[in-house]
Amino acid sequence: IPAGFAALSATPGMVWAQMIATWATMEAANRDQKDTMGVNSGWTGGEFIGDFRNGFIDFGWDKQTDEWKMKKRAVELNNGRAAQMGILGLMVHEQLGNQIIPSL
């Protein structure tokens, strides 16, 4: 299978079906974990969408102030945005015919 955008059309249909089924299963399984077997009985769910802590492992998040939590969430969102812009830059350069990452 080739690299870049050429991989989209070269990927077999059953591979796409498996990826979509996997994504859907992961989304359904991780939507709300408070009723999952093995989760701490005192846990009532996450504080926000995307909070997948299950009450089993505590890295000190609950001990921090609300301002600290919001700052950490903002930093994480900005890191994700920066990564998306980096990938977009690679995709634009590929479409323009400029190979930034040389082929092996």
Side-chain angles (χ1 to χ4, degrees):
I1 291 181
F5 283 105
L8 295 176
S9 60
T11 303
M14 286 307 295
V15 173
W16 284 110
Q18 288 175 349
M19 286 193 306
I20 291 170
T22 301
W23 295 332
T25 302
M26 289 167 43
E27 285 291 326
N30 290 315
R31 185 71 177 161
D32 190 3
Q33 295 183 357
K34 65 182 174 185
D35 296 325
T36 304
M37 186 175 70
V39 172
N40 188 350
S41 61
W43 186 68
T44 59
E47 294 178 28
F48 49 88
I49 301 281
D51 182 6
F52 295 122
R53 293 176 295 138
N54 62 7
F56 181 68
I57 298 175
D58 180 21
F59 292 110
W61 180 265
D62 294 329
K63 297 178 181 88
Q64 302 299 330
T65 64
D66 289 339
E67 294 82 21
W68 183 89
K69 292 178 186 179
M70 288 303 288
K71 181 180 178 187
K72 290 296 184 179
R73 287 176 61 193
V75 166
E76 185 66 23
L77 283 172
N78 287 332
N79 287 342
R81 290 174 181 145
Q84 290 173 5
M85 293 305 294
I87 293 296
L88 179 62
L90 290 173
M91 292 166 59
V92 167
H93 279 280
E94 180 184 343
Q95 289 299 307
L96 293 174
N98 301 327
Q99 279 302 106
I100 293 184
I101 300 176
S103 300
L104 296 176

